Each structure stands twice: as structure tokens, then as C-alpha cells.
Amino acid sequence: MARHINRKNVSSEKMEKGTFKTSMKKLLLYCRKYWGWLIFALALGIVGVITQIIGPNKIMDLTNVISDGLIYHAGNIDIAEVTKICVLLVCLYIVGALFNYFQNYITTIVTQKVGRNLRRDISKKINKLPLNYFDSHLHGDVLSRVTNDVDTVTQSLSESVGSLFSSGLLFVGVLIMMFITEPLMALTVIGATILGFALSLIFLTKSQKYFNKVQEQMGELNAHIEETYSGHNVVRLFNAEENRKEEFTKINKQLHKYGWRSRFLSGVMGPVMGFVGNFGYVAVCIVGALLARKHGISYFGVITAFMIYVRLFSRPLSSIAQSLTSLQSASAASKRVFEFLEGEEQASEEGKLSAPAKIEGNIDFENVRFGYKPEKIIIKDFSCKVNAGQKIAIVGPTGAGKTTLVNLLMKFYETNSGDIKIDGISIGDMKREAVHSLFGMVLQDTWLFEGTIMENLKYNNKDVSDKRVYQVCKAVGIDHFIQTLSKGYNTIVDDTINLSAGQKQLLTIARTMIADRPMVILDEATSSVDTRTEILLQQAMDKAMEGRTSFVIAHRLSTIKNADTILVLKDGDIVEKGKHEDLLAKGGAYAELYNSQFEEE
Amino acid sequence: MLKLLRYLRKKDYMFMIVSIVFIVVQVYLELTLPDYTAKIIQELYKIGSGVKPSVSVILKNGGIMLAMAFGSLGAAILVGFFVTMISAGLSFTLRGKIYDKIQGFSLHEINRFSTASLMTRTTNDIRQVAMVVSMGASALIKAPIMAIYAVIKIVNKGWQWSLSTGIVLAILSISIITIMAVVIPKFKKMQTLIDKLNRVTRENLTGIRVVRASNAEDFQEEKFKETNTDLTKTNLFIGKMLALFDPVMTILLSGLSLSIYWIGAYIVKDAVSFSNMTVFVSYAMQVVMSFIMLIVIFMLLPRALVSAKRINEVLDTENKIVPGNYVDEFDGTASVVFENVSFKYPDAEEYVLHDISFTANEGETIAFIGSTGSGKSTLINLIPRLYDATEGRVLIDGVDVKDYSLETLNKKIGYVPQRGVLFSGSVKDNVNFGDNNASEEEIKSAISTAQASSFVSRMPDGIDSIISQGGTNVSGGQRQRLSIARAIARKPEIFIFDDSFSALDYKTDKKLRSALKKDTAKVTKFIVAQRIGTIKEADKIIVLEAGNMVGIGTHEELLKNCPVYREIALSQLSKEEL
């Protein structure tokens, strides 16, 4: 674990430079579909900004009318003119607000849809990655990407995209107005702003690093708590709370450290921008005053105008700054999302064969060699011919490679060399789905999902009739139990119903039997089922598997006595092969294994 | 939400006071800045009377303004510093608290919340709360100060203007409250949907082999899509409602200044009231702006409130397992007595165990057998108090397990769960887990007793090899043996094997049991098993059927007088083998 983290840190250090740009570019490209809408929103924003720039001008006219009345007409204010301007302003405001709303509306829709697409793509990606990806990556980390990271992306985007648009437009609009009014003063404002901006840039680049770290530590925290929460029993009973807490605190402290730094640095952006505004204001006052000495009293109007402009100019700047900090966390989070989405997928299988319509069930293992890692070979040179309809038992000590063999047969992993053929067709030439569709598989680790028992049993086979489900459940001896549940087959399987490991196994066996595939693999399928139930189950399964090639891995040798061929595996090689009686008579490894069941001390 | 603030540290209150001081400084500096502009303008007015304005006066006042701008920046940065310290500190503390609380949970509570939901509560929910605190704290303090300062300036400047300001504030409040009332329930829904999304993804990850074997990728994606669509719909609804805020606020703000001028056109009669009008506009804006500052927080608040509630739900959960405080000497062995124990799950109707009584003497091996669902696991879970007996008592060395301090109780017990649970870390860390304090020698010996030496030595770094999260890089049987080694390394007085041998092949099972017998003879052992072979030699075998004890005795005795046992035995072994 520790090593794993270190490696991650090193690579993230290297990647920091340019991360923001690349992730933003990726995100932008990802949103390609919505560019049209975004441009439309931009157009709406332009109208909104125009009303915002015209507004102050009209207000100026209004005060002029009032002061004119006071000064030149002895307090007789031209009410008609006032009303005209006011009505115009009201219209302007309403139009502005409407456009503003629609702009927000569109950006909300776009960001939420982008979020939805990201989540969808991650979920799809999970099913496209090779299995060994999950051997080396933590579940909690992947989960954190689906929820925390995507959440951060959408939340930050919705906060920033809209205001980035309108602020940018306002910024440009004010810039134009300033140059029209007085170029020299405009330059003063810009100069002051650039100075302030340079200051904020320092904070901006610094905080990006911490944002990445925060997101990383978050993934780490998630992984840790998933482990602790799900292994809670063991943690408690071994008085390991303190130990675990220590580890947790370490991550928590890191998270705290980077969390507050990133938040502080990004929080400082607001005040810095406020300062840019104030600084510009002061510059306008000083430079304006000095210029007024030359140009005389008529220059006052320009000064007052610029006092408003400097505020109008710095306000969008600080919202832009705020949006940029939001975008920073969006970029940090999206980096993690894209990292996952860009993970190398299983090799494409276009053009490979689909499942043959009729399957005999002859299987050939030809000099199969495999290791999960190239430097650690588990199966060295495995060859074996299985005839259609045979029941093959694979036995041997734990770690002999029994499950690995099955993983290869299912094409979960690809062999390093050698070949596996089904009815003479290499599984390398078949699509993965095709191989999967040939086998019904029951694993030692039972897996049920939250849904009704019926849904769990039918799983992916929607057109199976309920009647068939009842039939199978009766055959495997779980029907009675299901009936006793409060809602029978419609009981929801979740953490609150107490299913024993054995009951779970029965359910998964039933699920596989319902799926009704031409061949069957049972990997320790009945290890938690009590033996009386098992005998009944055995009969039911034998009947169901009649004429089908089947592979059975079992520790309880009683289960496999009647197998056509028993393969005794040791360190990935077949050490013995034959029928129960023959092997027993031979007095070799199998006999030893078998007799150990009954040996007295 | 407020309830969570009790987790602020003393230090945080200090930070808050300091922040307030600096916020006052900042507000003062920002609001008096214009006074110096006035001074410059007055200097410039001299042009009118033919005097050249003095450059030094302009520069002096300009310099003061510049200093004030810097001062206000400094104050704001300090405020930012302290406020982030508070919010980051709070999330740090909350994460720790919630983690502690969950560690203290019993199985029942973990199951009630579900692991996925507990995870979101520890991360996502806390993040929401912290965000509001960091954004809220400064705004909450700054807004009232700004507002009060501004109100002082505009009071008594014209009731018509005050009235219109009041009306605008009222409309603002009403529209915000309306939007919130519609949005808040949706936030709650959103959080549940996030939980659900988490769960569906987690299911896909944990069952990835089953999913692929069943070609059910599309099925899973369909399921994900459903939740994803629900979540997006809810998010969209919330987003569309919140999109109203900005335009509503702009229109009200602009409307306010317009109405002040419009009213002004009727009531302004002289130069004094004219200047009053200009002043009123700017300060009324301040009042409304500080109001808006508060509103921004209220926008963030609903989601945070829901999150806070979810955090509190965990923190306020009464722990069902109340530890005692009895501590005793550790003598390496223990007797266990069940006295008329009955058990039902909280909120359940049916009892899972009925009136179980038996005694396990020091060093004895007690085995439990029975059909799937007969209550074997539940029964032994009562010893380490994973659940508490509903009726009756469980005694260890004559003391009720409920009276022991949990630490003492846990120390007495070496527990091996049904499914081998490993943690990311080295093999060594996993064996020397928790308060196990084993030397390298003892670790190796525990590994060897658990029959794990051969595969551990074949791992790349021996006992320093790394186990990945959830132990996915070792097989089920290996995981199980390592978790047995973990229990052995503890040197407990009682072993509990909850069907821990079924993942092992017979030979290993057999070897392991003889090694246990040899190396840990004094330890009292409880074994739940399926295989007769595993339990044949136990001192007492207890046969369970639907939560009732239907037989107790040795293998031979039970074969003679317990029909259920005989049936089980016959299902596994042929007559001759018996």
C-alpha cells in the first residue's frame, strides 16, 4: 500500500505542469456535443451585458434631468422625461433578467448533462476494463470518482461556466466603453488591473497543486473507510480501532493539510480581486486629479464615469477569478475522471466469432501457460482434453491454480501462451461475450445485489417465466426459505435481511441454473451449504447438467466422487488424472487428500 | 447544522473573534475609502476659483487611499486564513468523529445504514458542510456589520426611500423562501440518489466476475442509467430553480436604485435632498448587497442542511452495545456458559435462537452444526457481543460478557469470520493486526500453525508482501488462512471459527486443526462447521435446528441418539466411514 501511494505521488508531481490546461481541454472536448447550446447561451449573455452597460448611462441621464430641474428650473423637474427614462429602464431590466435566466437555464442543463454523461461513461468503462485493473485498484477509489469527482466537476462547472460567460462579456463591454470615453484613463485602469492580476496568478498556480492533492487524498480516504466499514467486525474484535484510527488520522491530516491550503489560496482570490478594484479606484482618483489640473473642471465628468467603470471592470474580474478557482477544482476532479475513462480497455474483439449456435462441449486445453504477472507463472504447461458431456472435477490444495484455470476458460484473462479450444474453436478467436454465454458459473464468493429475490434470480434473463424460477428454487431447496420471508420472492435483498452464506450460495446456484447455459462451472459453489441440503442440491444439479460439460472445483470430495474425470492439480500442473475409484486405488496425491477427511490423530 | 458547530474547538472560537475584528477593520477601510476621494475632489474644486490644486495634497490623500486598499487586502487575507482554518478544522474533526462513531457501531447499525451510505456520509456530506462553513462564516459576520453601518448612514433620509428599500427586501425574502421551500426536499432526494448510485456502482465492482460471466454488462448499465437519470432529473430541477436567483436579484437591485431616483424626482426639492438621494442609493445598495451575501449562503445551505442531518443521524445513533468496565487477569484459557439465551434481531418478530443453555469448560472444543439458517453463526456472534442476547446471559469465566470492558473481552477472543477479511498492507500487518503484539517469530509461527507458510513464502516479499484492498490478490482459501493466523497471533483464551474452514480443502483443514490442537491446547474453541470431519473430534457438538438446540454430545453419542445429527453425518460419509 505504502509503495503504491509513493508511486502515485511521483507521477502526479510530474504531471502537475500543464494539468489544468490538458484537463480543461479534455473537458471542453468532452462537452463537444453541447457547444451549440453553449454558444447560444453566450449570445443570450451578450444581450444581458448590453442592458447592464446601458443601465448606468440611463441612470446618469436620469440624475442629470433631476439636477437640471433643480439648478436651472428652480426645482421644476421634467416629470415626463423622468417617466420616459424610467419606463425604458424597467423594460431594459426585464429584458436583461429574462435573458439572464435563459442563459443560466441553458448552462445548468448543459453542466448537468455533462455530469450525467461522465457518470454513465464511468459506469460503462467499469465493464470494459480488463479484470486485472480491479486487482490493482481500490474499489473505494473508483467509487470516489463516480460520486465525489463527478459531483465536483458538475458543481464547479455550474458555478463557473455561467458567470465566466457573463463576466467575460461584461469585461469586454466595459473595456470598449472605457476606450471610447478616454483612452489614457482606460490605460490607467488596465495597468492597475494587470498588476493585481499578476499577484493573483501566483495564488492560482499554487493552489492547483493542492487541489489535485485533495482529490487524491479523498480517493485514498474512501478506500480506507470502505475497508474499515466493511471489515468492521474484525476491526472491533481485534481491538484494532486505534490502529485503524491512526491510519485514518494520517490520511485525514493530509486531507486537512491540503484541503485548507487549497481552500485558503483560492479563498484569497476574492480579496485580491477586491484589492485590484480598490487599487484601480485609487489610481483613477490620483491620475484623474492630476489630469484635471491640466484639463480643468470639465474633466470631472470623466472622473465620475471612470469611478463607475473601475467598479464595473473589477467586479467581473473577481467573478472570473472565482470561476477560475471553481474551474481549478473541476480540473483536478476531471483529471481523475478522465484518468479512469482513459484506462486501457480490453482488446477490441471486432470481427471475432460469436457463439456457435450448437455446442457439443468438447474442450481442449493445449499447453496453457499463464501468470497474473509475467514474472510469476501460475499455470506452467497445462494440457487436457475434455469430451462433451463429461463432469470434470478439479481438486488440489489451495493456491494450486484451480480458480485461475477457470478464469482462463471464461476468458477473464488471456493465456500467455498455449490455447483453449471449445469444439475446436480457439476461445482467442471468439468474442468474450460468446465465451461467457456458453458457461453458467457459480463462484465461491456469492454476490447478490439490492433488488427483489426474483430479480436476483432472473438477473439478466428477463424472459424467464416466474414458474421456471419457482421450479429451480424447489429443486435446489431454497423455495421454502424464500416463502418464509415477509414478501416471498418479492423481498428486497439488502443489508437488512439476514441471509446466511449458505442461503446466498443457494440463491446464486439457482440463478445459474435459471440462466441455463450449455456448460457449467462450479467454483466451490456449495462450500457454505450444509451437507444435507447439498445432497439434494447435488441430485438436482446432476440432473440439470446431464449431457452438459461441467467443471467442478470442490474441497468436499463427496461432491465430486461421481465425476467422469478428476484432475488433481498441484502448482499449476496436473499430477493425477482419473476416476475416483482408480485414483483411490492408486494411493497417490488424491488418495491422500481423500483420506485426510477421515484420518484420526 | 448548528448541532455540528459544537464540534468546533476552543481555538476555532478564538479564530472567529479574531476574524470579526479583522472584518470590522476591512469594512471600515472599504467604506471610508470614498471619504478621501471627496477630499481630492474638494482640492480639485479650487480650479473653479482659479487656484491650481496642490499635487502634494492629491498625492497625500492618494497615498492614504492606497494604504487603506492594502490594509483592507491584508485584513481580508487574514480573515480568509482564519475562516479556512475553522472550516478545514471542522471537517477534520467531523471526519474523525464520524469515523470513531462508526467504529463503535454494532453489526446491526452498520447494516441499517449500509456501508455505501456510511461512506458518503464520511466524505461527501462533510464536504458539503465544510463548504458552507467556509463560505458562510465570513459572509455571516461581514453582512450584518456592513448592513448596520449602511443603515446608520441612511436612517432619517426620507421615509419613501426607506419604504421602497423595505419593500424590495420583503420581495427578495419571499421569493427566496419560496424557491427554497420547493428546492429543499429535492436536495434530500438528491442525496439518497447519490447513495443509490454509489451502491449500484459498488455492486458492479464487487460482482464484476458474475456480471461478466452472465454477460450482464448491459443489465448493470441499464440499472445505473436509471439511477443516473433520476439523479440528473433531480439535479436539473434544482439547477433550474436556482437559476432564478441571479436574475431575480439583479432585477430587484436595479429596480431599487431606479425606484429611489424615480421617487426622488417627485420629492427632491433642494441640493441637500439631492445629495441625500445619491448617498441613499449607494448605501441602500450596501444593505441589499449584504443581504444577498447572506442569501448566497442560503443557496448553499439546503444541501448542507441535508448533509448535516445525515451526519447527525450517524453521530446521534445510540450505540446498542454498551461496554462494561470489568477487567480481569489474562490466564490463557476461559470457560463459557450460555444461560437460557434467546435472540431476535432488533425490530424482528421471530426469534432466531430459543433458550440455548450449555457450558464450555476451559480448553474444550465446542462445535456447532445444523442446516443453513439454523442460527449457528448468530449463536457464536453473541460471545464477542457482535450482537447482545435478547434474553438470558452469556458468561465468560463466570462474568456476563456485558460486564466486561470491550477491550478485555476482545483480547480474550480470537475471531475468524465466515469470509476472510484482509486489509491493505503487508501480510505481517494483517497477521499482527490490531492490538496483537506479536514478535516476528510469533507471527511466523502463527502463519505456520494456520498452514499459510508455504504460500506466504512463495509470495514475492514473504511476510512483507503487500495485500491489496479486500485481499483480492490472494485466493479465498489463502485469505481465510491468513485471517486464522491473525486470530492465532493474538494468543486468545477463546477461539471463534465462524465456518472458517469451509474455504479450505480437507487436507489443509485437517492439518490446521491438528496444528491448532497442538499449539493452542489451552484455548477454548468454538467451531461452526458444515463438515462432520471438521468437528468429529470436538468435546461437545451442539446440533441446531431452526434456532433450537436439538442435541448435544460427542460424535458417537449424537450418532446414537440425535436423528438430525445422524442425518447430517450420513449425508457426508458412507456407513462404513462412520
Side-chain angles (χ1 to χ4, degrees):
Chain A
M1 184 72 185
R3 233 165 288 176
H4 183 66
I5 294 166
N6 281 340
R7 218 177 23 237
K8 226 161 72 184
N9 279 352
V10 171
S11 65
S12 80
E13 210 77 54
K14 248 189 240 161
M15 282 176 60
E16 243 143 56
K17 260 198 182 165
T19 308
F20 184 78
K21 249 193 224 157
T22 45
S23 346
M24 279 339 275
K25 212 160 119 191
K26 276 178 199 162
L27 198 57
L28 209 64
L29 276 175
Y30 190 84
C31 307
R32 214 169 7 212
K33 232 169 99 189
Y34 302 105
W35 281 359
W37 283 105
L38 288 177
I39 290 167
F40 183 48
L42 195 70
L44 292 178
I46 291 176
V47 179
V49 166
I50 290 172
T51 62
Q52 254 185 312
I53 297 175
I54 298 174
N57 263 335
K58 291 286 146 199
I59 288 270
M60 214 82 92
D61 291 347
L62 188 59
T63 46
N64 283 342
V65 172
I66 297 173
S67 60
D68 265 14
L70 281 180
I71 298 165
Y72 303 113
H73 304 287
N76 287 327
I77 298 165
D78 183 354
I79 294 291
E81 184 63 23
V82 167
T83 314
K84 209 179 104 194
I85 297 174
C86 287
V87 169
L88 181 73
L89 274 171
V90 168
C91 296
L92 213 57
Y93 290 154
I94 289 175
V95 168
L98 277 176
F99 276 82
N100 185 350
Y101 178 69
F102 285 121
Q103 188 207 345
N104 286 349
Y105 188 89
I106 291 170
T107 44
T108 305
I109 290 179
V110 170
T111 48
Q112 290 305 337
K113 293 216 158 153
V114 168
R116 183 200 59 194
N117 294 352
L118 281 173
R119 283 191 294 264
R120 181 197 61 203
D121 288 351
I122 291 181
S123 132
K124 281 194 171 162
K125 185 76 185 183
I126 291 175
N127 292 322
K128 282 193 193 132
L129 286 167
L131 271 182
N132 58 22
Y133 183 92
F134 300 99
D135 296 341
S136 55
H137 287 76
L138 314 174
H139 288 167
D141 193 58
V142 178
L143 277 179
S144 181
R145 291 175 208 239
V146 180
T147 48
N148 281 330
D149 291 330
V150 174
D151 211 33
T152 310
V153 172
T154 46
Q155 220 176 338
S156 332
L157 277 188
S158 65
E159 272 165 25
S160 56
V161 170
S163 72
L164 205 58
F165 271 2
S166 44
S167 306
L169 290 171
L170 189 60
F171 177 78
V172 174
V174 174
L175 202 65
I176 293 168
M177 287 298 274
M178 282 200 305
F179 273 102
I180 290 173
T181 318
E182 163 67 278
L184 203 60
M185 288 290 275
L187 287 176
T188 314
V189 172
I190 292 167
T193 313
I194 287 175
L195 211 71
F197 236 121
L199 201 67
S200 55
L201 219 66
I202 301 169
F203 290 106
L204 203 70
T205 44
K206 261 231 142 117
S207 54
Q208 179 64 31
K209 187 171 95 194
Y210 294 121
F211 273 112
N212 285 338
K213 291 252 193 230
V214 167
Q215 250 18 53
E216 238 169 56
Q217 291 294 330
M218 206 66 185
E220 204 126 315
L221 187 84
N222 240 324
H224 173 90
I225 57 178
E226 192 200 8
E227 205 172 68
T228 312
Y229 292 174
S230 52
H232 170 265
N233 265 355
V234 173
V235 171
R236 207 212 97 193
L237 294 182
F238 281 79
N239 284 332
E241 283 111 328
E242 264 173 52
N243 261 333
R244 294 302 285 174
K245 182 70 199 285
E246 240 171 69
E247 204 177 301
F248 171 83
T249 309
K250 224 192 301 172
I251 304 173
N252 198 7
K253 270 192 181 144
Q254 289 283 315
L255 192 57
H256 175 242
K257 188 171 111 192
Y258 295 126
W260 96 252
R261 280 186 197 177
S262 66
R263 221 174 286 160
F264 168 63
L265 286 174
S266 61
V268 161
M269 293 295 282
V272 168
M273 283 299 140
F275 170 75
V276 173
N278 284 336
F279 189 61
Y281 183 78
V282 173
V284 164
C285 286
I286 298 174
V287 175
L290 293 179
L291 285 175
R293 281 182 81 231
K294 275 197 198 124
H295 297 284
I297 202 96
S298 63
Y299 209 71
F300 274 9
V302 177
I303 298 179
T304 12
F306 266 89
M307 280 179 183
I308 297 170
Y309 284 139
V310 106
R311 293 286 176 210
L312 271 182
F313 192 63
S314 68
R315 193 161 7 118
L317 271 185
S318 47
S319 355
I320 288 174
Q322 250 163 30
S323 309
L324 282 182
T325 41
S326 279
L327 279 181
Q328 272 183 312
S329 40
S331 118
S334 72
K335 181 185 148 207
R336 281 169 49 80
V337 173
F338 286 120
E339 226 169 55
F340 185 76
L341 287 181
E342 284 160 7
E344 199 178 326
E345 292 181 10
Q346 302 180 92
S348 154
E349 301 205 294
E350 213 151 312
K352 289 196 177 176
L353 304 171
S354 5
K358 178 107 181 64
I359 216 78
E360 299 283 331
N362 294 304
I363 293 176
D364 286 316
F365 290 89
E366 291 172 356
N367 308 95
V368 172
R369 187 177 169 84
F370 174 76
Y372 292 100
K373 286 176 191 151
E375 70 273 13
K376 214 184 138 208
I377 297 298
I378 291 173
I379 310 268
K380 289 178 198 114
D381 181 15
F382 185 91
S383 293
C384 175
K385 218 173 167 61
V386 176
N387 294 326
Q390 279 194 328
K391 175 174 174 181
I392 308 295
I394 308 172
V395 301
T398 30
K402 294 171 300 211
T403 302
T404 309
L405 212 52
V406 166
N407 278 340
L408 291 175
L409 184 57
M410 284 298 278
K411 216 183 166 188
F412 283 155
Y413 299 85
E414 311 257 342
T415 55
N416 293 12
S417 65
D419 203 357
I420 302 172
K421 286 180 178 163
I422 299 175
D423 285 348
I425 308 166
S426 162
I427 60 168
D429 297 333
M430 275 198 243
K431 286 191 174 129
R432 268 181 293 269
E433 302 89 80
V435 178
H436 296 164
S437 69
L438 299 177
F439 293 96
M441 187 179 194
V442 185
L443 294 165
Q444 186 176 4
D445 289 333
T446 52
W447 176 77
L448 298 171
F449 58 87
E450 192 164 315
T452 65
I453 298 226
M454 188 55 97
E455 283 163 0
N456 263 289
L457 288 169
K458 284 189 180 172
Y459 194 40
N460 198 21
N461 307 287
K462 287 176 204 122
D463 13 298
V464 171
S465 70
D466 289 3
K467 218 172 116 195
R468 167 85 186 132
V469 174
Y470 302 141
Q471 221 172 27
V472 170
C473 286
K474 277 195 190 110
V476 302
I478 186 80
D479 178 68
H480 176 72
F481 166 73
I482 298 172
Q483 301 288 3
T484 61
L485 293 171
S486 56
K487 286 184 187 151
Y489 281 85
N490 293 320
T491 310
I492 303 274
V493 180
D494 59 19
D495 293 331
T496 55
I497 79 165
N498 291 290
L499 287 173
S500 74
Q503 285 158 344
K504 283 185 191 162
Q505 273 191 337
L506 289 178
L507 286 174
T508 46
I509 290 167
R511 173 161 65 203
T512 309
M513 284 175 68
I514 289 165
D516 196 28
R517 299 275 167 82
M519 289 179 279
V520 180
I521 297 172
L522 302 174
D523 184 357
E524 288 288 350
T526 54
S527 58
S528 301
V529 178
D530 70 280
T531 45
R532 277 186 302 170
T533 316
E534 193 184 24
I535 286 200
L536 295 173
L537 188 63
Q538 197 68 47
Q539 289 160 355
M541 285 203 290
D542 281 347
K543 207 174 137 212
M545 295 188 316
E546 222 165 50
R548 299 180 194 203
T549 312
S550 60
F551 292 84
V552 181
I553 297 178
H555 289 315
R556 278 188 211 155
L557 301 184
S558 56
T559 329
I560 51 127
K561 269 186 200 167
N562 65 348
D564 296 303
T565 310
I566 296 171
L567 304 175
V568 185
L569 238 57
K570 204 175 172 209
D571 298 330
D573 293 320
I574 302 177
V575 289
E576 274 180 72
K577 183 177 170 183
K579 280 189 180 296
H580 173 74
E581 289 76 22
D582 302 339
L583 289 175
L584 214 53
K586 205 170 149 194
Y590 180 78
E592 197 189 324
L593 212 58
Y594 187 76
N595 290 325
S596 65
Q597 295 179 71
F598 319 110
E599 256 167 40
E600 295 298 329
E601 287 303 299
Chain B
M1 181 82 196
L2 285 176
K3 241 166 133 185
L4 289 176
L5 296 182
R6 71 193 145 155
Y7 294 107
L8 289 176
R9 300 154 299 178
K10 267 212 188 93
K11 196 157 79 167
D12 293 328
Y13 288 103
M14 285 289 298
F15 288 158
M16 238 185 265
I17 291 165
V18 178
S19 317
I20 292 176
V21 172
F22 281 110
I23 286 172
V24 172
V25 170
Q26 198 202 341
V27 170
Y28 170 79
L29 289 177
E30 271 182 24
L31 291 185
T32 42
L33 200 63
D35 293 350
Y36 290 88
T37 323
K39 283 192 182 162
I40 293 181
I41 305 251
Q42 276 161 25
E43 186 61 30
L44 287 181
Y45 258 111
K46 289 179 185 161
I47 300 175
S49 44
V51 183
K52 270 249 165 195
S54 112
V55 176
S56 73
V57 171
I58 292 174
L59 288 184
K60 189 188 130 211
N61 284 310
I64 294 173
M65 284 169 77
L66 205 59
M68 288 175 92
F70 269 113
S72 133
L73 172 68
I77 288 180
L78 283 173
V79 170
F81 177 81
F82 289 120
V83 166
T84 34
M85 282 302 265
I86 295 172
S87 85
L90 182 66
S91 48
F92 176 76
T93 320
L94 278 180
R95 273 195 299 267
K97 288 272 178 216
I98 206 168
Y99 184 83
D100 282 346
K101 189 74 193 186
I102 293 168
Q103 287 223 340
F105 273 1
S106 75
L107 264 184
H108 176 65
E109 281 119 17
I110 295 248
N111 289 346
R112 213 188 71 203
F113 283 109
S114 92
T115 315
S117 169
L118 286 176
M119 281 174 65
T120 351
R121 287 170 207 242
T122 319
T123 53
N124 214 323
D125 284 327
I126 289 182
R127 198 174 61 118
Q128 295 298 336
V129 170
M131 212 157 79
V132 165
V133 171
S134 79
M135 297 207 182
S138 59
L140 268 179
I141 303 168
K142 198 171 172 180
I145 294 176
M146 289 268 253
I148 290 167
Y149 198 92
V151 166
I152 289 171
K153 294 255 177 183
I154 58 174
V155 89
N156 287 331
K157 292 253 156 88
W159 63 268
Q160 297 95 331
W161 289 327
S162 303
L163 184 68
S164 58
T165 312
I167 289 172
V168 166
L169 285 180
I171 296 174
L172 202 60
S173 315
I174 290 168
S175 44
I176 283 156
I177 291 169
T178 320
I179 294 175
M180 281 306 146
V182 180
V183 163
I184 287 181
K186 291 284 171 180
F187 271 108
K188 225 173 275 175
K189 195 177 161 202
M190 181 178 80
Q191 218 62 20
T192 346
L193 284 171
I194 289 181
D195 272 358
K196 197 169 163 198
L197 200 77
N198 230 337
R199 200 192 61 230
V200 174
T201 315
R202 190 155 179 261
E203 271 170 8
N204 196 358
L205 285 170
T206 50
I208 195 138
R209 270 157 222 262
V210 181
V211 173
R212 297 211 175 164
S214 321
N215 283 335
E217 287 96 337
D218 292 339
F219 182 86
Q220 281 308 125
E221 272 161 32
E222 198 51 46
K223 223 159 68 163
F224 185 88
K225 193 174 153 196
E226 213 177 282
T227 317
N228 196 5
T229 313
D230 278 355
L231 179 65
T232 311
K233 266 192 204 148
T234 315
N235 277 340
L236 274 176
F237 181 84
I238 293 170
K240 284 175 193 169
M241 289 309 284
L242 293 187
L244 277 173
F245 266 117
D246 203 21
V248 165
M249 232 122 63
T250 327
I251 209 166
L252 283 175
L253 263 180
S254 320
L256 177 60
S257 55
L258 177 61
S259 65
I260 289 169
Y261 287 122
W262 207 340
I263 293 168
Y266 291 93
I267 64 170
V268 164
K269 289 285 171 262
D270 49 30
V272 175
S273 55
F274 181 78
S275 77
N276 269 350
M277 180 175 77
T278 359
V279 171
F280 199 100
V281 169
S282 67
Y283 284 110
M285 284 297 150
Q286 289 291 4
V287 174
V288 179
M289 280 305 251
S290 24
F291 204 76
I292 287 174
M293 238 150 63
L294 288 177
I295 286 159
V296 173
I297 303 157
F298 283 115
M299 274 171 70
L300 295 168
L301 208 54
R303 197 173 169 184
L305 276 181
V306 174
S307 292
K309 201 174 147 223
R310 285 161 49 94
I311 295 168
N312 274 323
E313 253 167 35
V314 175
L315 290 177
D316 293 344
T317 300
E318 221 32 77
N319 215 330
K320 293 268 177 345
I321 306 288
V322 184
N325 46 24
Y326 183 81
V327 178
D328 78 347
E329 286 298 302
F330 187 79
D331 61 0
T333 188
S335 68
V336 177
V337 178
F338 273 63
E339 264 183 17
N340 309 99
V341 171
S342 296
F343 175 79
K344 62 173 186 178
Y345 288 103
D347 335 311
E349 304 270 316
E350 292 276 312
Y351 274 87
V352 182
L353 293 170
H354 306 271
D355 196 24
I356 308 281
S357 297
F358 67 88
T359 302
N361 297 316
E362 298 184 343
E364 273 187 342
T365 300
I366 311 292
F368 301 87
I369 198 160
S371 336
T372 316
S374 58
K376 300 167 300 215
S377 289
T378 314
L379 191 146
I380 56 164
N381 279 343
L382 298 177
I383 304 173
R385 295 190 72 196
L386 289 178
Y387 294 107
D388 274 339
T390 316
E391 284 148 38
R393 300 195 297 166
V394 180
L395 308 167
I396 296 179
D397 286 338
V399 178
D400 192 329
V401 287
K402 290 179 189 170
D403 294 333
Y404 278 103
S405 84
L406 276 184
E407 208 197 331
T408 314
L409 181 66
N410 294 341
K411 253 194 152 46
K412 286 176 177 293
I413 293 168
Y415 171 86
V416 185
Q418 207 163 31
R419 196 174 167 272
V421 175
L422 295 182
F423 298 86
S424 39
S426 66
V427 170
K428 197 159 103 189
D429 295 342
N430 267 290
V431 174
N432 197 14
F433 189 68
D435 64 348
N436 284 6
N437 217 341
S439 65
E440 182 120 356
E441 273 315 299
E442 288 169 320
I443 292 172
K444 282 188 177 146
S445 118
I447 290 177
S448 123
T449 308
Q451 305 303 309
S453 309
S454 63
F455 81 83
V456 169
S457 65
R458 262 185 286 133
M459 291 175 83
D461 299 307
I463 62 169
D464 293 314
S465 308
I466 301 296
I467 304 278
S468 65
Q469 193 202 7
T472 43
N473 59 346
V474 288
S475 78
Q478 292 170 339
R479 217 178 324 171
Q480 198 54 271
R481 276 180 283 167
L482 284 180
S483 68
I484 292 171
R486 177 172 58 204
I488 296 170
R490 205 169 165 67
K491 302 200 183 317
E493 296 179 344
I494 299 166
F495 274 130
I496 295 175
F497 298 107
D498 186 358
D499 205 358
S500 322
F501 300 117
S502 49
L504 307 179
D505 58 88
Y506 274 96
K507 214 171 146 186
T508 317
D509 176 3
K510 174 86 196 156
K511 275 198 205 148
L512 201 151
R513 273 180 297 113
S514 17
L516 274 176
K517 202 163 189 180
K518 199 171 108 240
D519 301 342
T520 61
K522 272 172 72 190
V523 183
T524 313
K525 302 175 189 71
F526 291 86
I527 301 178
V528 167
Q530 308 283 355
R531 304 176 191 155
I532 292 283
T534 311
I535 61 164
K536 234 166 108 181
E537 298 135 32
D539 298 300
K540 281 181 195 132
I541 299 169
I542 290 169
V543 187
L544 288 175
E545 176 94 339
N548 292 301
M549 199 164 90
V550 294
I552 178 166
T554 61
H555 176 67
E556 283 71 25
E557 287 166 9
L558 287 170
L559 271 185
K560 263 185 233 126
N561 55 33
C562 179
V564 176
Y565 186 78
R566 201 163 46 236
E567 236 178 88
I568 297 172
L570 275 173
S571 70
Q572 296 182 28
L573 309 168
S574 56
K575 280 217 170 64
E576 312 83 69
E577 284 160 348
L578 289 171

